[in-house]
Amino acid sequence: MRIISTPGEMSRLARAIRREGSGRHSLVPTMGALHEGHVSLVRAARDGSTIVTVSIFVNPTQFGPNEDLARYPRTFEADCAALQGLGVDYVFAPAAPDMYPDGFRTSVHVDGLRDRLEGQVRPGHFDGVATVVLKLFAIAQPDAAFFGRKDAQQLRIIRQMTSDLDLGIEIVGCPIVREPDGLAGSSRNAYLSPDERRAATVLSRALRAAADAIGRGIRASAEIVAAADAVIKAEPMARPDYVELVDADTFDRVGSIERTALLLLAVRIGSTRLIDNAVINVRDGEVNVER
Ligand code: PAF
C-alpha cells in the first residue's frame, strides 16, 4: 500500500492507471477515524475492483465555525494499518493547504438539496462536501466511488452532482453498519461518554418504533414521525434537531407513504450530534423498512 500526500502525485498516478488500462479503479472518500462502516465500504470497493484508493482528508470547508473541526478524531496510523490489512492499494492523504491553496474561489452548490434538513442545521456543509468530493473525483479519476447510506442526504447530493456534471463515475451507496445494540457506526461515536453511548441507542430505537408503526399498517407521516419522536422524548439525554419523513428522491416532506421514502433523524446527545435513517421501500404495494 502506498501513501500519497499531494494532489499532483495522485493525479499523475490516476492518469497512469487510465492510460495503462489497469482495470476498475474505485475510490472510498473518508475523513479518517475509520470504523466498521468505512471497513464495509472498503470491502465493497475491494470486491470487484482492480485498484482501490482510500482518501483520508478532514475537509475544513464542510465544518461550520462552531463545529468540531479542531477536535475531529485523527487516527492516521491506525487507519493506515487497517487499510493495509484490507488490501487497499493507495491512501490519498493530502494536506489542507494543498487542497485549498491561497486564492481558492470555487464552490459547488447542488440547489434544492443543499439547504434543507442537514443543510439547514449546518449552513454551507453540503457545499463543502460537494466541492471536496468533486476535487477528489477530479484528482483520483475513479471509475466508481463508495459512500455510506447513513449520510443519506450527502449520498443524494453526490449522485445529483455526478449526474448533472456527467462525471461518468458509478456512485455506490452501501448499507448502514450498526453496533450490536443498533447504534450506527460514526467517527463521532468516539466523543460519547459511557452514559451518552447508552443514550445514543435512542436513534436506532426511534427508527425501530417507526418501523413497527409501519408494520402495523400506519402510512400517515405524522403518526410515523410521532412514534419515533415519542422514543426520543423519553430519553432525557437526547435533544432532536429533526425527525422527518421525506421523499427519497426530492427530500420533500411527504404526508403519507406512497413511494420510497426516508425517515431521517438528527439528535444531539450531550455535545455530540448524531444522524441516522431508515429507507422505507414501496414495491407493488408492499412496504418494507431497511435500517
Ligand atoms: O462522509 C464523509 O466522511 C465526508 O463527508 C466525505 C464524503 C469524505 C467528504 O469529506
Side-chain angles (χ1 to χ4, degrees):
M1 187 177 84
R2 200 167 120 199
I3 297 173
I4 294 167
S5 53
T6 66
E9 193 186 350
M10 186 70 232
S11 14
R12 278 192 294 282
L13 174 71
R15 278 199 298 274
I17 291 171
R18 288 214 162 254
R19 202 173 41 242
E20 287 157 21
S22 308
R24 182 174 151 101
H25 178 197
S26 290
L27 174 69
V28 183
T30 81
M31 297 206 299
L34 302 182
H35 52 73
E36 282 306 311
H38 295 115
V39 169
S40 76
L41 301 183
V42 174
R43 288 212 170 102
R46 185 65 288 169
D47 189 19
S49 309
T50 320
I51 296 171
V52 175
T53 299
V54 174
S55 62
I56 298 183
F57 179 61
V58 183
N59 173 37
T61 65
Q62 69 188 77
F63 289 80
N66 300 317
E67 293 187 353
D68 56 344
L69 173 62
R71 73 169 183 139
Y72 196 83
R74 286 157 170 92
T75 56
F76 188 68
E77 304 297 317
D79 291 347
C80 287
L83 294 173
Q84 171 111 50
L86 290 163
V88 165
D89 299 287
Y90 302 104
V91 171
F92 174 47
D98 290 334
M99 289 293 273
Y100 300 111
D102 283 347
F104 188 91
R105 286 175 184 274
T106 302
S107 180
V108 180
H109 316 287
V110 179
D111 279 335
L113 292 166
R114 69 192 262 265
D115 44 14
R116 52 179 74 188
L117 298 152
E118 277 303 280
Q120 194 171 0
V121 182
R122 306 182 66 190
H125 169 68
F126 287 123
D127 293 352
V129 170
T131 304
V132 80
V133 171
L134 184 57
K135 275 183 73 82
L136 292 168
F137 285 177
I139 295 165
Q141 301 170 41
D143 300 299
F146 289 69
F147 298 88
R149 286 196 213 141
K150 183 172 78 73
D151 296 304
Q153 195 173 357
Q154 166 174 288
L155 177 59
R156 176 70 190 83
I157 283 172
I158 290 166
R159 283 194 198 285
Q160 185 73 41
M161 175 184 79
T162 304
S163 150
D164 286 350
L165 300 181
D166 299 309
L167 299 180
I169 296 169
E170 183 193 349
I171 304 300
V172 183
C174 298
I176 297 175
V177 174
R178 296 182 181 281
E179 305 271 344
D181 64 3
L183 181 67
S186 165
S187 304
R188 292 189 167 94
N189 292 348
Y191 299 149
L192 300 168
S193 70
D195 281 347
E196 290 171 343
R197 171 66 188 75
R198 271 187 291 278
T201 59
V202 74
L203 285 91
S204 60
R205 287 187 279 119
L207 293 176
R208 193 171 333 117
D212 290 347
I214 294 168
R216 292 195 301 277
I218 293 174
R219 298 289 177 265
S221 291
E223 286 178 66
I224 295 164
V225 167
D229 246 342
V231 173
I232 298 169
K233 289 208 174 95
E235 170 49 64
M237 295 182 91
R239 281 175 300 129
D241 269 347
Y242 58 78
V243 180
E244 296 273 9
L245 193 62
V246 301
D247 182 272
D249 184 45
T250 63
F251 275 64
D252 289 334
R253 271 192 210 128
V254 293
S256 64
I257 295 174
E258 270 145 39
R259 52 188 220 133
T260 302
L262 288 166
L263 180 61
L264 303 170
L265 309 180
V267 178
R268 289 175 202 264
I269 309 285
S271 60
T272 305
R273 191 168 176 281
L274 300 173
I275 58 172
D276 202 346
N277 70 77
V279 186
I280 303 162
N281 293 306
V282 182
R283 259 184 231 112
D284 305 326
E286 292 285 307
V287 178
N288 97 304
V289 182
E290 217 177 297
R291 280 178 287 139

